[in-house]
Amino acid sequence: MKTFLRKLGAAAAAIPLAVALLASPAEAAGKIKIALAETPSDELAAFFVALDRAKANGLDYEWTAFSDEELAIQAVLSGQMDIGFGTPYAAMQRSKAPIRIVFQLSKLKFFPVTSKKYEKLEDLDGEPIMLHSRGGGTDSIANVIEDKVGIKFGDRSYVPGSSNRVAALMAGQTDATIIDLSNKNKVMKIAGEKFNVLPMFEVEASDEALFANLDWIKNNEADVDIFVNALLSVWQDMAKDPTIISRETDPNGPIGQLPPEILGNLDEFYTAAVEGGLYDPNGGGAKAAQADFDWYSRAGQLEGDLSSLNVEDFWYLEPLKNAAK
């Protein structure tokens, strides 16, 4: 990521705090330490259903929610955490650590939403925009929009969480942002007369993926297989019936503790997400890697000719192959 290394200092300072927030001691034997890139939300409900299935099959884990993707990536790179959320292509290319992706959690299905003063992407030339985080998915979307449309955004401000950017949009604190499918639908349902969803090109690249150090993966193959098996089973069940997520959500778990208005909309959220192609029921794999190469090269987070990029240098496909059996 072009801006990735700028936050190394902040990451180093935040990691000890994050470790202190673990639900149980980090030294606990056999526990997989998972670095989330955000706090539990409706977008993570399917992931926590998969965690419950994995736990039922013997996986012992603990999770920490970092404030953004860069911190989660750094926690894995530093060895503070075992496996994390994100799309760390630049880190994989530049770091000496053999980081590999094992599962595509979601695709980059995001939407430019603006006040009525803008009607098309070209209108955003020179205009400020609010995004999730430096070097994250929405930042890369902005980069690719600039590349494809031939514009240059003005100042970029960063507010983690689509719901928070929606609040800023509603309050008139920004005229342009990029938000996820669920929040785009909410904005247009509540105040569609005040905002525009700008026409956007199709994107198949990864927004969130599960990654870890290859040495750690190979030393913990049984646990990784349990984890990926659980994810794949949930993603495939969800493709057939999105309501499986609300029905399997643990009322005593982190998702079950969310406000009733969020829990009550899980079926609506996952039905729209599945219909919108947010999740690959096959977990991504080589197909996702190729889409990512094209996207993140355009976004400026991967260097070199596309033909020189090898799937095996960024993905470890064995857990997905084992799960597919």
Side-chain angles (χ1 to χ4, degrees):
M1 301 172 187
K2 286 184 175 179
T3 57
F4 178 71
L5 296 179
R6 298 178 189 172
K7 298 189 82 173
L8 291 187
I15 286 171
L17 173 61
V19 172
L21 294 175
L22 290 173
S24 52
E27 295 80 10
K31 282 193 183 230
I32 290 181
K33 299 187 287 293
I34 304 168
L36 305 183
E38 59 184 280
T39 56
S41 66
D42 50 2
E43 298 176 41
L44 290 182
F47 181 79
F48 276 95
V49 168
L51 279 181
D52 286 342
R53 289 191 184 184
K55 184 177 181 179
N57 285 315
L59 186 72
D60 195 8
Y61 67 86
E62 56 192 15
W63 57 269
T64 299
F66 289 80
S67 60
D68 63 39
E69 180 179 311
E70 291 182 9
L71 297 181
I73 292 171
Q74 277 301 306
V76 175
L77 283 171
S78 69
Q80 295 282 354
M81 306 296 286
D82 298 320
I83 194 163
F85 269 44
T87 45
Y89 279 98
M92 287 189 282
Q93 192 173 58
R94 298 174 187 174
S95 172
K96 294 181 180 179
I99 300 299
R100 296 293 185 273
I101 293 172
V102 295
F103 195 90
Q104 183 194 66
L105 294 166
S106 62
K107 299 178 186 178
L108 274 168
K109 301 294 183 181
F110 281 72
F111 303 85
V113 178
T114 70
S115 64
K116 286 291 186 178
K117 66 191 291 187
Y118 309 115
E119 296 182 353
K120 55 186 184 300
L121 291 174
E122 288 82 356
D123 295 341
L124 293 174
D125 191 22
E127 297 296 300
I129 190 166
M130 183 177 285
L131 305 169
H132 176 77
S133 66
R134 294 182 186 275
T138 56
D139 215 23
S140 70
I141 290 172
N143 291 344
V144 176
I145 288 174
E146 289 179 335
D147 179 59
K148 278 183 170 284
V149 182
I151 65 172
K152 185 70 176 177
F153 288 111
D155 291 338
R156 299 186 184 194
S157 58
Y158 298 96
V159 175
S162 277
S163 60
N164 293 326
R165 296 195 299 282
V166 167
L169 193 67
M170 294 284 193
Q173 296 169 350
T174 184
D175 281 311
T177 188
I178 297 176
I179 55 179
D180 60 33
L181 174 67
S182 174
N183 280 288
K184 181 268 291 184
N185 291 343
K186 289 177 184 176
V187 168
M188 300 315 290
K189 183 178 180 180
I190 296 171
E193 74 283 355
K194 297 181 180 179
F195 303 102
N196 286 330
V197 180
L198 304 189
M200 180 70 174
F201 43 84
E202 189 66 23
V203 179
E204 291 296 320
S206 302
D207 176 32
E208 296 287 2
L210 202 65
F211 65 91
N213 186 294
L214 183 59
D215 294 334
W216 179 87
I217 294 171
K218 290 184 175 180
N219 288 331
N220 296 271
E221 283 185 329
D223 284 339
V224 173
D225 281 347
I226 290 172
F227 202 173
V228 172
N229 279 337
L231 286 164
L232 191 64
S233 72
V234 171
W235 265 234
Q236 291 182 343
D237 288 348
M238 178 169 57
K240 299 171 186 174
D241 179 9
T243 65
I244 192 75
I245 304 305
S246 64
R247 286 187 279 117
E248 287 199 24
T249 290
D250 180 2
N252 297 314
I255 302 300
Q257 301 303 305
L258 293 174
E261 59 269 23
I262 293 178
L263 293 176
N265 286 319
L266 284 182
D267 287 348
E268 180 181 351
F269 172 83
Y270 280 98
T271 297
V274 169
E275 290 176 352
L278 189 65
Y279 304 106
D280 180 355
N282 297 312
K287 178 182 176 182
Q290 294 296 339
D292 290 350
F293 291 165
D294 178 67
W295 178 268
Y296 286 104
S297 291
R298 290 178 181 272
Q301 296 179 20
L302 275 174
E303 299 175 353
D305 191 285
L306 280 176
S307 62
S308 70
L309 300 176
N310 298 314
V311 173
E312 293 76 16
D313 292 335
F314 298 89
W315 280 69
Y316 183 62
L317 298 173
E318 290 306 310
L320 262 181
K321 290 178 179 177
N322 293 338
K325 295 175 184 177

